[in-house]
Amino acid sequence: MSARELFTFRNTYFSIGVGVAAGVFALAAITGFVLLPRLQPELKYADLWDAFCSAAGLPRRSVSSGEIPKSPHRLSEAVLTPTTLARPTQESIGRGATLAQRCAICHGPTGISRADSPNLAGQYASVIYKELLDFRSGARTNAVMSPFAANLSDQDIKDLAAYYAYLPRLPAYHPQEQLPRPRVVIYGAPMRGIAPCGSCHGSLDNKAGSPWLEGQSEAYLKAQLQAFAAGQRTNDISQQMRNVARALTSQEIDQAAAYYASQPPDIIKTTD
Amino acid sequence: MLVNRKLILAHFWLAFVVFGLALCLGAWQMFVRSPLYTWISNPEWYYRSLTAHGTVMGYVFPTLVAMGFGYAITESALQQRLVGVRWAWAGFWLIVIGAIMAMVPVALGRASVLYTFYPPLIGNAFYYIGVVLVVVGSWIWVALMSINLRVWRRAHPGEPVPLAMFANVAGSYLWAWTAVGAALELLLQIIPVALGLKTTIDAGLARVFFSWTLHAIVYFWLIPTYIAYYTIVPRAIGGRLYSDTMARLSFILFLVVAMPIGIHHTFADPQVGAGFKFIHSTFTALVALPTLLTVFTICASVEIAARLRGGRGALGWIRALPWQNPIMLAVAFSFVMLGFGGAGGLINMSYQLDTTIHNTQWITGHFHLIFGGAIVIMYFAIAYDLWPHLTGRALPNLALARTQLWLWFIGMIVTTFPWHWVGILGMPRRMAYYDYSNPAIAPEALYVSLSAFGALILLISGLLFLFILARAHAQPATEAGEYRFSMPVHPVRSVPLALNSFGIWVALMIGLTVTNYGYPILMLAARQDTSVPAVYVGAQ
């Protein structure tokens, strides 16, 4: 028997094989595409074709299609690509240093704050970049900081990010005895949907756009967590921080803030 | 005739050594996420280990076993020297290089993406390229199996292909086609992103491509086990195979229906339509057919052996079976685990029932029971059966082999039964840490601990297996005789062409892939708005 005799309906194996396969397919398709959509009255379809398209996986407009509800807050518009902040030039860092003189009053001349503002020396460039963009757009607001950011150009922001990332990380001014890691930092609280702080902010891992927190002011960290929880700070992407902060107890907020404040920044695990 | 013993032994040894290493990782994972340990405090280590465990156990170990066994079958069933020995070694070394290339970034924590890749997570490009090399190495084997069969056919026109070789080639064709899904995902989607040529990825399409591979790969793992059921077990226990035709039909059915069913892995994914999910669910139900045929045929074959040994009565013959024989023990254990695992699988493949256990520990329990249990225990049996012929030395101690099989069986039951149970209780999978002090999941702590003890038993059994194989090399040389496969009750004189060739069945396999996967893939590929930014592992 040659191939021609094999692939013919005179060959019982061929006809049964193809017949059964086609039959099962047809039966499954009719059930899945026509019968089952009809048997589910809670699914509203305009007609048979509509039900068919839905079963095939064609995206449909939702029934209540209309204006997407506008967020009451401005959302962060920062976009980072691998090239945005890659390989800053010496000129960029130098311009950043000049621009940074006006930041020194709060953030310190070496990027170490004495005023419970964040320490910026050695912070990730992506973090400085995103926060400045958010202050400028109004996604994040602060009575002191917003006016400073309002007139910065894109290049200014890149230069400042490059400069602060370039500065060495120095021990902060509030050195205490290093506290042991609290549960919320290394375990989070899985049953309440809280990821460990350390899974984005260092200690365990760093995620792009998340600052390292070691040695930051305890008062500042606490204030930010409370602002996230109260919905006053809203520039976190997809509400990641708000969701976490809302679920935290005030005791956990205290512990996390105190822990990070007590850590020297030179232990930060970096991947850069 | 086994001429290229070194080649076959190299495949088996590499397979079992990497299996031993991955087994250690698995046992460690079971321990550190159980309440018996306070936790490693760093989930990254857990996922790193999990990636290595899955990659080795899923891609490297079973592929090498299938390849080594395939070469052994070619020489012993066809009674001819392997054609293309150099190519076979090239395939072997490609797998070695690929495995090392993949494992280095994993060990460095640069590719903790798990063996199922999970885009948009993107790890180091070398991890994916290493996996591709492993697959390419195995494709050389596929080609060699096909070529060797052709060479034999030319010398034996019109003769029935020996069952072992027929099944072996069916398995290789299944693998060749099913690996295409993951290959497309890696080459078209993941590797360009990992190399930095693109920064977005269509995660939904990637998952559909992966499902193409993910289910049928299980049947590729399973084929050596089924070959052992049909062609080793009846001979090893002194019986005959009940039906050669039934065996051929089973392998043909696997070839045709193992492939167009993978979307049942994406029941919870929004990018696939419910209609296609239902079609895949229906075809998945059909896969039970070849397994039921096999269970029937093997039980009948085993009964023949028992009655030849003087067994009487409706069930009394079971006592007459040679329970001292490790192969008998292995097949019994394998069937018990296949039964439980298969029953669990019926729940996974049902669109509705799946929702209760989707993404829970039930799933992990299920595939460990089926693969680690029913399949791997027959890999042990294959090794025990082949070893005297490969090494020219008898196994040191059959009692030790029986102990090893018992431990594996008990260990697998103790590991996977509680694993299924906590899944029903709702414990999610793929998590590095569980807060057992929380009253909501505290009741699960006991079962997870039990499971961890099971893993310890498995580890002991696996190391014992390696010890037995290694000791065999130091035994005095003996003549093991020719390596044979079981004879059917009715000698096979002629087989219809359709059951002696693959043309119709490969065409049906590809045809059903087109009908069941064509539209979902084309629709996602054609849309411009389905890509998401890649999430790079370890990026700041």
Side-chain angles (χ1 to χ4, degrees):
Chain A
M1 245 201 282
S2 68
R4 199 176 295 167
E5 290 169 70
L6 205 55
F7 286 88
T8 161
F9 283 99
R10 280 197 300 279
N11 177 0
T12 342
Y13 288 96
F14 179 78
S15 47
I16 292 180
V18 173
V20 170
V24 171
F25 179 81
L27 213 68
I30 291 169
T31 315
F33 283 81
V34 182
L35 275 181
L36 287 180
R38 284 182 155 236
L39 292 174
Q40 298 176 80
E42 71 276 10
L43 298 176
K44 299 267 183 288
Y45 296 112
D47 50 27
L48 188 66
W49 181 245
D50 189 28
F52 191 84
C53 290
S54 164
L58 262 186
R60 301 188 309 151
R61 283 195 184 286
S62 66
V63 181
S64 61
S65 72
E67 281 290 291
I68 301 166
K70 256 188 115 60
S71 163
H73 321 285
R74 277 194 85 90
L75 300 175
S76 178
E77 288 154 4
V79 175
L80 264 179
T81 69
T83 53
T84 316
L85 301 167
R87 294 190 198 87
T89 59
Q90 293 296 316
E91 290 74 21
S92 172
I93 294 170
R95 274 197 304 272
T98 312
L99 287 166
Q101 290 191 356
R102 63 176 110 158
C103 316
I105 187 164
C106 294
H107 293 286
T110 55
I112 305 292
S113 171
R114 292 166 183 257
D116 282 343
S117 306
N119 302 325
L120 300 181
Q123 186 54 274
Y124 301 124
S126 59
V127 172
I128 311 267
Y129 177 77
K130 175 179 180 300
E131 296 307 317
L132 282 176
L133 280 179
D134 287 352
F135 275 120
R136 189 178 70 176
S137 72
R140 185 178 178 187
T141 52
N142 176 284
V144 182
M145 191 63 209
S146 294
F148 275 98
N151 296 321
L152 292 175
S153 70
D154 285 352
Q155 191 58 49
D156 292 344
I157 289 177
K158 281 183 196 168
D159 295 343
L160 279 164
Y163 168 66
Y164 277 118
Y166 161 83
L167 286 183
R169 287 167 192 150
L170 297 171
Y173 280 89
H174 21 79
Q176 308 159 355
E177 158 194 15
Q178 283 184 41
L179 298 173
R181 291 195 283 198
R183 280 184 78 81
V184 73
V185 170
I186 48 169
Y187 300 120
M191 300 300 286
R192 283 182 283 144
I194 301 176
C197 311
S199 59
C200 294
H201 291 288
S203 304
L204 303 177
D205 200 0
N206 282 305
K207 300 279 158 59
S210 313
W212 53 260
L213 302 175
E214 282 83 351
Q216 299 293 1
S217 144
E218 184 176 347
Y220 173 76
L221 291 174
K222 243 172 99 168
Q224 294 310 307
L225 282 171
Q226 284 158 352
F228 277 127
Q232 289 154 359
R233 184 175 164 187
T234 56
N235 70 324
D236 51 332
I237 293 161
S238 306
Q239 298 213 23
Q240 284 173 349
M241 272 313 297
R242 274 173 282 173
N243 284 331
V244 166
R246 273 195 289 262
L248 288 172
T249 63
S250 58
Q251 192 194 7
E252 283 167 337
I253 291 183
D254 292 346
Q255 284 174 342
Y259 163 75
Y260 276 111
S262 74
Q263 302 299 307
D266 44 333
I267 63 161
I268 293 165
K269 210 180 65 177
T270 56
T271 47
D272 51 14
Chain B
M1 67 189 248
L2 286 169
V3 182
N4 287 293
R5 295 177 189 185
K6 222 183 231 173
L7 174 77
I8 300 164
L9 265 177
H11 280 78
F12 276 117
W13 261 122
L14 181 62
F16 293 133
V17 166
V18 294
F19 160 78
L21 294 173
L23 189 65
C24 296
L25 292 178
W28 177 81
Q29 286 156 219
M30 292 299 279
F31 177 62
V32 297
R33 69 168 179 75
S34 78
L36 304 173
Y37 189 75
T38 49
W39 195 44
I40 42 169
S41 298
N42 188 347
E44 211 286 316
W45 281 99
Y46 181 82
Y47 291 118
R48 198 182 291 196
S49 170
L50 190 53
T51 309
H53 175 82
T55 307
V56 168
M57 293 299 206
Y59 300 137
V60 184
F61 165 56
T63 309
L64 282 168
V65 169
M67 290 168 72
F69 193 33
Y71 294 135
I73 290 171
T74 309
E75 295 206 323
S76 47
L78 299 186
Q79 298 284 327
Q80 68 178 26
R81 289 179 77 107
L82 184 71
V83 177
V85 178
R86 279 193 193 166
W87 280 101
W89 278 111
F92 174 80
W93 285 110
L94 262 182
I95 291 187
V96 173
I97 294 166
I100 294 171
M101 191 186 276
M103 280 306 115
V104 168
V106 172
L108 294 173
R110 294 292 178 160
S112 305
V113 294
L114 310 199
Y115 88 106
T116 35
F117 307 142
Y118 291 116
L121 268 184
I122 296 291
N124 186 285
F126 283 106
Y127 170 64
Y128 305 111
I129 296 170
V131 172
V132 170
L133 287 187
V134 169
V135 173
V136 171
S138 69
W139 278 348
I140 293 182
W141 167 76
V142 172
L144 285 179
M145 292 301 97
S146 184
I147 290 167
N148 277 279
L149 180 62
R150 187 164 296 196
V151 169
W152 182 87
R153 273 210 170 113
R154 211 171 295 150
H156 305 78
E159 282 184 40
V161 177
L163 175 62
M165 189 60 182
F166 182 80
N168 178 38
V169 175
S172 74
Y173 288 165
L174 177 63
W175 171 238
W177 183 242
T178 192
V180 167
L184 288 175
E185 181 196 11
L186 285 170
L187 297 176
L188 299 181
Q189 298 203 275
I190 291 181
I191 290 178
V193 183
L195 288 174
L197 305 174
K198 277 171 64 185
T199 55
T200 59
I201 186 163
D202 187 339
L205 178 58
R207 287 175 62 86
V208 173
F209 274 139
F210 197 74
S211 82
W212 168 328
T213 296
L214 188 54
H215 203 72
I217 197 175
V218 181
Y219 294 99
F220 165 62
W221 300 339
L222 197 85
I223 296 276
T225 292
Y226 273 54
I227 296 177
Y229 288 161
Y230 282 111
T231 66
I232 293 180
V233 171
R235 186 258 296 145
I237 62 171
R240 290 272 178 130
L241 175 61
Y242 176 69
S243 163
D244 180 87
T245 312
M246 206 90 109
R248 282 171 201 265
L249 281 177
S250 299
F251 287 106
I252 284 172
L253 277 171
F254 272 131
L255 189 56
V256 175
V257 290
M259 195 31 243
I261 62 179
I263 280 182
H264 74 255
H265 287 253
T266 61
F267 275 158
D269 281 28
Q271 80 279 13
V272 184
F276 281 102
K277 287 173 182 168
F278 185 79
I279 291 178
H280 280 245
S281 186
T282 309
F283 275 91
T284 315
L286 286 186
V287 175
L289 217 62
T291 295
L292 293 176
L293 277 183
T294 303
V295 170
F296 176 82
T297 312
I298 300 307
C299 285
S301 311
V302 167
E303 187 181 341
I304 291 171
R307 295 204 187 274
L308 285 175
R309 294 168 61 93
R312 294 278 173 274
L315 289 172
W317 55 268
I318 294 174
R319 251 180 305 155
L321 286 169
W323 292 106
Q324 299 299 309
N325 187 332
I327 308 291
M328 184 64 233
L329 213 52
V331 73
F333 291 154
S334 179
F335 268 31
V336 171
M337 293 189 279
L338 189 67
F340 281 110
L346 292 178
I347 291 170
N348 306 344
M349 58 130 262
S350 155
Y351 195 2
Q352 280 74 28
L353 286 175
D354 174 72
T355 51
T356 54
I357 41 90
H358 187 82
N359 259 344
T360 67
Q361 298 281 2
W362 167 284
I363 304 291
T364 358
H366 165 75
F367 66 71
H368 278 84
L369 184 55
I370 284 276
F371 177 46
I375 296 177
V376 169
I377 205 164
M378 289 310 289
Y379 289 180
F380 296 155
I382 291 169
Y384 286 147
D385 196 57
L386 262 175
W387 226 244
H389 299 269
L390 293 174
T391 58
R393 290 151 213 277
L395 282 182
N397 186 344
L398 287 188
L400 212 56
R402 285 196 298 271
T403 313
Q404 188 267 323
L405 293 169
W406 268 106
L407 282 177
W408 191 261
F409 174 64
I410 295 169
M412 196 50 80
I413 298 289
V414 175
T415 307
T416 56
F417 278 34
W419 215 345
H420 279 81
W421 175 242
V422 294
I424 295 176
L425 295 180
M427 188 176 184
R429 65 187 277 212
R430 298 190 202 101
M431 287 183 56
Y433 168 70
Y434 299 91
D435 181 5
Y436 297 102
S437 66
N438 191 299
I441 62 167
E444 290 158 23
L446 174 66
Y447 303 104
V448 180
S449 309
L450 260 177
S451 218
F453 277 111
L456 185 67
I457 301 173
L458 288 175
L459 179 62
I460 295 168
S461 171
L463 297 179
L464 191 57
F465 171 68
L466 291 176
F467 173 74
I468 294 170
L469 292 192
R471 273 286 301 278
H473 285 274
Q475 295 294 306
T478 48
E479 182 44 58
E482 196 179 333
Y483 191 70
R484 292 186 307 106
F485 296 96
S486 41
M487 307 282 286
V489 175
H490 304 287
V492 186
R493 295 219 169 75
S494 74
V495 173
L497 182 60
L499 300 186
N500 202 32
S501 63
F502 300 97
I504 301 177
W505 316 116
V506 169
L508 263 179
M509 168 177 81
I510 295 175
L512 283 173
T513 310
V514 171
T515 56
N516 290 12
Y517 269 108
Y519 180 77
I521 287 177
L522 283 180
M523 181 194 77
L524 288 167
R527 290 182 66 88
Q528 299 296 317
D529 55 354
T530 47
S531 288
V532 290
V535 177
Y536 293 92
V537 169
Q540 166 46 48

